[in-house]
Every structure is written in C-alpha cells, then in structure tokens.
C-alpha cells in the first residue's frame, strides 16, 4: 500500500472529518498510549458509506470506537478508527403501554438514560455507565439487576462483509451476560448506526440488588430518585475515569457449575454466589481478587482499585504491557487458590 494512496484527501471529505496519526490516549478511559493511522467521524449515513468505500478500495482495516471505556488499546492502530457523530433521538411509535424510540449510536449513554424518561421507563438502573448508545448492545451492558437487552427492540447497522444495511431483532442479537452476537460471528463486522428501544409507559422499578432493596419501602419512588440513587452507589464504588483511568470491571464475574460453586462454598462459606438458571452459578470476581490479596495492590503503573478490587486502574502512564502483567498476575493468583478462570471484560482494539 503506497502512502500516497492513504492521503485523507482521497476520501473526498473535508479535513475536519478525517485526521491522520491521531493520539488515542484521550479516546480510551485506561489512558493507554496509542496512535491511529486515520481517525474519522461520520455525521450521516452517506458520509459513513463514503468512508467505507474508500476503506475497501484501499484495503485498509477499520474499527469503530465509541467512548473507549471498554477497550484495551494497542499502541498502533493501523487503518481507520471510525466514530459516530450521529446524535439524533427519534420517537417512532406508541401503543399506550410502550413507546419505541430510535437513538443514534453517537449519543452518550447516560444522556440517553436521563432523556429516556420523556417517553418511558426501564433504563434507570443503567444510569452513569460510560460510553455510547452504539456500544451498549455489544456486551449487553448491565448493572443493578437490569441489562440493556431488556429494553432493546432491535439494532440497526451496516454489515461490512455483505455491504448491506441490516436490522437485528433482540432475539437475533443472542444477548447473554456481557455477551452478544456482535462479539462472536459478527465481531468487527458491524457498524451499529442506531438502536431502537422499547420503553414501558409504567414505571416498574427493579430494586432487587442489595443496596437498592431499602427503596422497596418507598411507595412514591420516582424514576429521578432511582437514577440519583444509582449514581450515588456508583460514585461511592467506581472511580471516575476522568481522574483515575480505568475501564470499569476488568474481569467478568465467572460462571461455574452449581457443583463447583457448592464445593467452593464448603471451603469458603462467606463467598458471594448468584445462582443462575441451567445449573450455573455466578461468582463475584471482586471478592475472589480481594481474597487473594490483590485489592489495592498493583504492579508498575497499574493497580486493582482499593474500593472495588474488580476495577483495574492506571496512574495515566501505564503501557498495555503494564496492564497485561497485572492481569496475568491476578488471574494466576485466583486460579491457584480457587481453580477459577477470570476472563477480561474489555476487548483488544487495533
Ligand atoms: P468502546 O469502549 O469504545 O467500544 C467497546 C466495543 O464496542 C469495541 O469492540 C468497539 O469496537 C465496539 N463498538 C463501539 N461502538 C460501536 C458501534 N457503533 N458499532 C459496532 N461496534 C461498536 N459496563 C457494563 O456493562 N456495566 C457497568 O456497570 C459498567 N460500568 C463501567 C464503569 C466505568 C467507570 C467504566 C470506565 C466502564 C464501565 N462499563 C460498564 C464498561 C463500558 O462502559 C461499557 O462496555 C460501554 O458500553 C462501552 O461503551 P463505549 O462507547 O465506551 O465503547
Ligand atoms: N466484592 C468484594 N470485594 C471487592 C469487590 C466486590 O468482596 O473488592 C463483593 C461485594 O461485596 C459483593 C460482590 O463482590 O458481594 C459483588 O460486588 P458489586 O455489587 O460491587 O458488583 P460486581 O460484581 O463487582 C458487577 C458488574 C458491574 C456492575 C455492578 C452492579 C460485572 C463484571 N461487573 O460488579 O459492571 O456495575 O455489578 O450491577 O458483571 C462493568 O461491567 O464494567 C461494571 C462495572
């Protein structure tokens, strides 16, 4: 590939739409040092299509980035890093019990949660999760007893391998715990352009999660009060990436068989266990990490957070290798004491 071919002017876009050799440190919440060969933002579907055509013509790799709050950025991202600058929210339909609203991928997730109450309810427990609407189906974001899958009608986007616009129903998306079709068969093949949500017209709060149970007594609880309570809980445990770089939970909570969970409980009777359908049990990775002594401990520029051992933080000067070294050390300690595998939640980017 000649470097001449890679000049952004060939995209036929204005210079403000595409940048070369872009610093990605501010585009990932772990603040890992990285550069993108090209960095483009699309503001309309035609603009997206023209970037895709140019990328295909020149056989460049392409990856789409949201807020960078769930990625492990590699130091050099070759080809095009694409971002959605589309930010419309459009109510579509209303049947008295539900309202359907289409939200562009580039909308900030928390802004959408706050705005959603204009049309309906269901997203309150997902307040303050960083990132964009477009990324929310990728790992089926979840918190405090709710997953985004509960409110998704369908996902719209462009499938690069077929060059077709496509609509995936919630069923097609095969949502699971921190999982979807977009992490498997369709990994890196889909550019989600918007998500259609189905919101309930009746506020039926989910208050099963421990610290929320006290709100069950409050019969006049409003959606605003629930959002405020969620924000308070999150701020007390989770570091703000603006001051302490992190990507939220660094590992998923491991799913094991009932039998494994029972046998661990015999040895560790205080271990938290969340019993699941299909003979499975979810363990609390934060608890496991704390037990093996990594809470508040680190290596080089990376550390497991003092208030929440599941959150890996950096001091802003960590390299990807520093993060990986800590990941391996923590995984090894948990494996050797509990024989449980911890799988990272953030995905490699680049
Ligand atoms: P990015 O990190 O930019 O991207 C994540 C992945 O999605 C990448 O593979 C990317 O290629 C892909 N992607 C992004 N946009 C698109 C698109 N338009 N089309 C196709 N693919 C796309 N997660 C939870 O589930 N629950 C939590 O409670 C939670 N708390 C967090 C707290 C903190 C402090 C932090 C830093 C993170 C937390 N997270 C949580 C993780 C993260 O916020 C979510 O995974 C979020 O959805 C990532 O959004 P993003 O826009 O930053 O995606
Ligand atoms: N715990 C410890 N020590 C710790 C951390 C946790 O003992 O250092 C114990 C807690 O006492 C509790 C249990 O572990 O008994 C679970 O902790 P918590 O309620 O804080 O939730 P979590 O399992 O650590 C998960 C999600 C979060 C989500 C919260 C709230 C995963 C991987 N993480 O965390 O999601 O916000 O529940 O629902 O499922 C994310 O995905 O990035 C994320 C932040």
């Amino acid at each position: 590939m000649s470097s001449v071919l890679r000049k952004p002017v060939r995209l036929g876009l204005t210079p403000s739409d595409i940048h070369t050799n872009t610093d990605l440190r501010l585009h990932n919440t772990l603040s890992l040092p990285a550069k993108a060969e090209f960095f483009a933002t699309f503001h309309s579907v035609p603009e997206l299509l023209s970037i895709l055509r140019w990328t295909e013509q020149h056989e460049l790799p392409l990856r789409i980035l949201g807020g960078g709050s769930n990625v492990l950025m590699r130091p050099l991202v070759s080809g095009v890093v694409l971002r959605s600058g589309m930010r419309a929210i459009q109510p579509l339909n209303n049947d008295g019990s539900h309202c359907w609203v289409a939200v562009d991928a580039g909308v900030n997730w928390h802004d959408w949660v706050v705005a959603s109450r204009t049309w309906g309810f269901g997203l309150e427990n997902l307040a303050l999760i960083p990132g964009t609407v477009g990324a929310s189906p990728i790992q089926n974001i979840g918190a405090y007893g709710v997953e985004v899958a509960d409110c998704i009608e369908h996902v719209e986007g462009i499938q690069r391998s077929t060059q077709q616009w496509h609509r995936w129903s919630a069923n097609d998306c095969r949502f699971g715990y921190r999982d979807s079709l977009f992490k498997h068969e369709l990994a890196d093949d889909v550019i989600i352009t918007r998500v259609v949500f189905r919101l309930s017209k009746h506020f039926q709060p989910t208050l099963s999660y421990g610290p929320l149970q006290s709100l069950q007594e409050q019969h006049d609880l409003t959606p605003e009060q629930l959002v405020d309570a969620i924000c308070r809980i999150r701020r007390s445990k989770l570091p703000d990436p603006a001051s302490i770089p992190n990507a939220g939970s660094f590992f998923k909570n491991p799913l094991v068989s009932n039998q494994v969970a029972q046998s661990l409980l015999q040895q560790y009777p205080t271990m938290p266990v969340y019993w699941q359908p299909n003979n499975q049990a979810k363990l609390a990775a934060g608890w496991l990490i704390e037990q093996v002594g990594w809470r508040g401990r680190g290596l080089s520029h990376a550390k497991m957070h003092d208030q929440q051992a599941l959150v890996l933080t950096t001091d802003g000067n960590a390299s990807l290798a520093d993060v990986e070294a800590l990941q391996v050390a923590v995984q090894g300690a948990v494996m050797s004491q509990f024989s449980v595998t911890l799988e990272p939640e953030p995905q490699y980017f680049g």
Side-chain angles (χ1 to χ4, degrees), residues 96-99 119-122 124 199-205 223:
S97 66
H98 290 92
C99 187
W119 297 282
F121 311 106
E124 298 76 20
L199 302 174
S200 171
K201 299 281 244 180
H202 307 287
F203 177 52
Q204 291 164 312

Side-chain angles (χ1 to χ4, degrees), residues 29 63-71 105 129-132 134-136 138-139 141-143 178 190-192 234 238-239 241 246-248 345 347 349:
T29 62
R63 292 288 311 262
I64 179 150
L65 187 64
S69 62
N70 212 25
V71 289
I129 296 181
T132 53
S136 65
I138 303 293
Q139 75 156 6
I141 55 170
R178 298 293 188 272
V190 170
I191 291 155
I192 293 172
R234 294 185 69 93
L238 296 164
N246 75 89
E345 185 183 288
Q347 292 183 287
F349 192 93

Side-chain angles (χ1 to χ4, degrees), residues 144 177-178 209 237 249 251 253 290 295 308-309 345:
Y144 309 105
Y177 165 62
R178 298 293 188 272
Y209 180 83
K237 290 188 185 186
S249 298
F251 299 101
N253 284 328
E290 184 171 340
R295 176 169 168 159
Q308 228 299 2
E345 185 183 288

